[in-house]
Amino acid sequence: MHLLAAQPGAITDGEEAVDLGQNPGDIVYISAADSELALLADARRSLIESGQALPTLRLANLMQLGHNMSVDVYVDDIISHARLVVVRCLGGFGYWPYGIEQIAGICRAKNILLAMLPGDDQPDPELAEFSTLGGDVQHRLLQFGVHGGPDNSRNMLLYMASLLGSDLAWREPTPLLRAGVYWPGEAMPGLADVRTHWQPAQPVAALVFYRALVQAGNLKAVDAMIAALQQAGLNPLPIFAQSLKDPVSAETLGGLFAEAAPDVVLNATGFAVSSPGLVHVTGPLDKPDCPVLQVVFSGGNLAGWQDGTRGLSARDIAMNVALPEVDGRIFTRAVSFKGRARRDDATESDVVTYEPVADRMRFVAALAANWARLRRTPAADRRIALVLANYPNKDARLGNGVGLDTPAGTVRVLTALRDAGYRVADAPKDGAELIARLKAGPTNDFKQLATRTISESLALSDYQIWFGGLPSAVREQVTERWGAPEGDPFYQPGDVDCGSFAISAYRCGNIVIGLQPARGYNIDPVQSYHDPALIPPHGYLAFYAWLERGFRADAVCHMGKHGNLEW
């Protein structure tokens, strides 16, 4: 069977066998966490630079050893020649049974020291049975990994060297708080230390991320996000946490939020506190009563994301998009991807870290600043757009929602907004009236435009200014596909000025009810609805330009085709 070369940062599904391309070493350390492996590579380099003589070390990602043949090759070529093997397996024996059995078998047969450890902080008696080292040694190695950080990683390497007979001084594992504040370049800072970096009167933006990133020293993306928030005029409050479900972490977050109430929270942790289909469970991020934006540190690599057509991986979507939505998070975008920082020749491994993407960081920081500004704006002054779906693009399908009455739901949203202090005027009394008003104005049935009442429009000159702010590549594609703006069906020539675009919307005070514009005219409907490569026409773009320049919306809520709210 053919073996493929392992790709840095890639996660294999076990369908293809890979060869890590390593030579034997004294110590082999296997983990599913790229960040843990990167930290050990950096720790070894710093020890060597300080003059320490260490045994040779090989690092391997368990996720690249999913195929049985990959395991066989690695056991024969690397494990069988080692003197000490440490495996951290998240998920226990059931997750990687073949690999565990084969490694344990060769280690027992050749008297190789073996520590089979869990990938989390909970003891695993089943894994411990495969180890050849004593329980105290296993416990100490686990604690080095659990608490993490550069110091613990260096002492772990010194301790492993001592197990092989080296006369090197090492220290016991140093605990790391389960949750706390962080600031780049500062060791164990407190809230007062973080406040010294703030500007007076600026909104506070809490950035919540996994403690594991501090453990692994994998903080490049966190540091970049902090810098972007500062540049956007926000005071960052970076907080690491074991988990949002961890009681100690939740209590720590609550205490910090009580002392420094954030105007917006950026959540870079995955999963959800609530359970799908159940009543919403209040979590620690709900305490400040402010918008919570979901930020994604993607587990995939940038090249794969850019070259692909499906966006984020299924793993990323489940952990960082779908499940956080259960808690009501506002999705932003992926701001970093895993990438090869360097090839570490000493451990014959690729150091993989989160690599930030600058423009996506800036976008999210600007979005956070907008939400923080909106939170400080009185409800009566906020301008909200509610955009109903039109799928398919027929007047009989305005506000279509599968199994739900989206127009009636929109009326209830208007009532809730009015009760919350928003300026709602001349609102439709029910769903039928809401749809009737939409039908009276321009809809995606552009052939009937001449018979409709146009209450909202966008001057061509304003559209051209907005359009000119788009990337040149986008402008070129729109023009190539759809021609000049004046040729769009929703463009209305003017008698005096340069004309305008008809906008499918009407106002109810500071609230606007709009209709989702069509993504194309006179083309295959399926392509119009679903093709991610389809460039939208000028009429589509003019609608959103009007929301920004004409209505000056503070927030846009899409009443989705399934009846769900999408902010």
Side-chain angles (χ1 to χ4, degrees):
M1 181 177 183
H2 178 64
L3 274 75
L4 302 176
Q7 297 299 311
I11 297 175
T12 67
D13 55 11
E15 291 186 359
E16 297 285 354
V18 298
D19 184 357
L20 300 188
Q22 295 180 347
N23 295 301
D26 297 316
I27 300 173
V28 177
Y29 195 99
I30 300 175
S31 170
D34 281 320
S35 54
E36 182 177 20
L37 300 175
L39 187 61
L40 285 171
D42 289 340
R44 188 182 192 281
R45 182 171 62 174
S46 69
L47 287 172
I48 294 297
E49 290 174 351
S50 68
Q52 299 281 10
L54 295 174
T56 53
L57 174 67
R58 298 292 175 262
L59 302 174
N61 193 313
L62 184 149
M63 303 294 284
Q64 293 186 318
L65 297 173
H67 196 286
N68 288 356
M69 186 174 178
S70 303
V71 173
D72 291 340
V73 170
Y74 199 71
V75 167
D76 290 343
D77 293 351
I78 309 301
I79 300 293
S80 64
H81 301 283
R83 299 167 61 198
L84 167 64
V85 177
V86 178
V87 178
R88 290 197 69 190
C89 183
L90 184 63
F93 174 77
Y95 182 81
W96 199 44
Y98 186 78
I100 290 171
E101 288 176 341
Q102 295 305 306
I103 290 174
I106 196 68
C107 287
R108 291 189 182 279
K110 294 200 168 190
N111 294 318
I112 299 169
L113 301 180
L114 172 64
M116 198 70 72
L117 309 174
D120 54 20
D121 60 355
Q122 299 301 312
D124 188 328
E126 184 179 21
L127 281 179
E129 288 295 320
F130 290 94
S131 300
T132 63
L133 289 165
D136 58 335
V137 177
Q138 295 178 55
H139 177 74
R140 183 173 289 113
L141 287 171
L142 178 60
Q143 294 309 303
F144 278 126
V146 164
H147 295 296
D151 287 341
N152 280 326
S153 295
R154 284 190 288 266
N155 279 292
M156 176 194 276
L157 292 175
L158 294 171
Y159 177 62
M160 289 193 294
S162 73
L163 295 176
L164 298 181
S166 298
D167 186 19
L168 297 174
W170 53 272
R171 295 194 306 272
E172 294 287 351
T174 303
L176 173 68
L177 294 173
R178 297 184 74 83
V181 296
Y182 163 80
W183 196 264
E186 297 188 12
M188 303 294 289
L191 180 57
D193 301 308
V194 170
R195 276 187 162 132
T196 63
H197 300 279
W198 289 0
Q199 298 299 317
Q202 287 186 343
V204 174
L207 172 61
V208 181
F209 58 96
Y210 277 122
R211 173 178 178 263
L213 298 182
V214 178
Q215 290 175 288
N218 189 5
L219 294 159
K220 190 174 180 180
V222 174
D223 293 350
M225 194 73 248
I226 292 171
L229 292 172
Q230 287 181 303
Q231 292 170 4
L234 298 168
N235 287 328
L237 175 56
I239 306 171
F240 65 86
Q242 175 72 18
S243 164
L244 297 182
K245 291 185 177 182
D246 175 56
V248 175
S249 297
E251 184 176 352
T252 301
L253 285 165
L256 290 169
F257 290 157
E259 290 188 61
D263 294 275
V264 63
V265 174
L266 291 86
N267 178 40
T269 71
F271 303 102
V273 175
S274 303
S275 298
L278 301 180
V279 177
H280 175 68
V281 177
T282 301
L285 302 188
D286 297 310
K287 299 292 178 63
D289 188 27
C290 68
V292 181
L293 310 185
Q294 185 68 24
V295 179
V296 178
F297 293 166
S298 173
N301 62 70
L302 179 60
W305 176 79
Q306 289 176 326
D307 296 339
T309 59
R310 297 186 178 183
L312 295 173
S313 68
R315 184 190 301 264
D316 270 339
I317 290 174
M319 293 171 52
N320 299 310
V321 182
L323 286 174
E325 282 187 346
V326 176
D327 284 341
R329 307 297 175 238
I330 302 167
F331 183 71
T332 59
R333 57 179 53 181
V335 297
S336 71
F337 296 84
K338 281 189 174 181
R340 172 177 165 173
R342 62 183 174 86
R343 175 69 178 180
D344 187 68
D345 293 332
T347 60
E348 298 188 6
S349 66
D350 292 301
V351 175
V352 177
T353 61
Y354 284 117
E355 294 293 325
V357 183
D359 63 329
R360 301 180 75 80
M361 291 271 181
R362 289 193 297 269
F363 175 91
V364 171
L367 186 64
N370 287 343
W371 278 103
R373 175 183 54 79
L374 182 60
R375 184 175 186 265
R376 293 189 173 193
T377 303
D381 296 333
R382 298 174 186 170
R383 307 171 73 84
I384 309 298
L386 302 178
V387 181
L388 273 68
N390 187 194
Y391 178 91
N393 285 324
K394 299 178 181 178
D395 281 3
R397 308 290 284 182
L398 300 184
N400 178 41
V402 178
L404 296 172
D405 191 339
T406 304
T410 302
V411 172
R412 294 189 64 177
V413 169
L414 290 171
T415 301
L417 289 171
R418 183 177 58 235
D419 293 345
Y422 290 77
R423 190 167 73 83
V424 181
D426 191 28
K429 65 179 183 297
D430 54 31
E433 182 180 338
L434 183 147
I435 293 298
R437 288 196 197 179
L438 278 177
K439 283 186 175 181
T443 66
N444 288 320
D445 186 2
F446 58 85
K447 295 180 180 179
Q448 300 298 320
L449 192 59
T451 67
R452 305 296 174 85
T453 301
I454 300 173
S455 61
E456 300 293 342
S457 61
L458 178 70
L460 177 61
S461 57
D462 286 335
Y463 173 72
Q464 288 173 328
I465 293 172
W466 183 89
F467 187 69
L470 298 178
S472 59
V474 174
R475 298 197 306 270
E476 291 171 2
Q477 291 179 66
V478 172
T479 304
E480 180 180 353
R481 177 65 179 84
W482 299 106
E486 294 87 345
D488 191 275
F490 285 86
Y491 173 74
Q492 301 288 291
D495 295 332
V496 177
D497 57 21
C498 61
S500 61
F501 282 91
I503 301 299
S504 303
Y506 62 85
R507 304 190 194 213
C508 299
N510 276 359
I511 313 298
V512 71
I513 308 297
L515 185 66
Q516 170 192 355
R519 294 183 66 238
Y521 312 124
N522 300 321
I523 61 175
D524 179 4
V526 174
Q527 182 186 20
S528 175
Y529 304 145
H530 301 295
D531 184 1
L534 178 65
I535 300 299
H538 291 287
Y540 179 100
L541 298 174
F543 177 83
Y544 289 100
W546 174 81
L547 288 178
E548 180 181 326
R549 296 181 62 86
F551 178 62
R552 302 191 310 280
D554 291 306
V556 178
C557 174
H558 286 273
M559 309 291 284
K561 63 184 177 66
H562 298 293
N564 56 308
L565 296 178
E566 299 174 353
W567 288 89

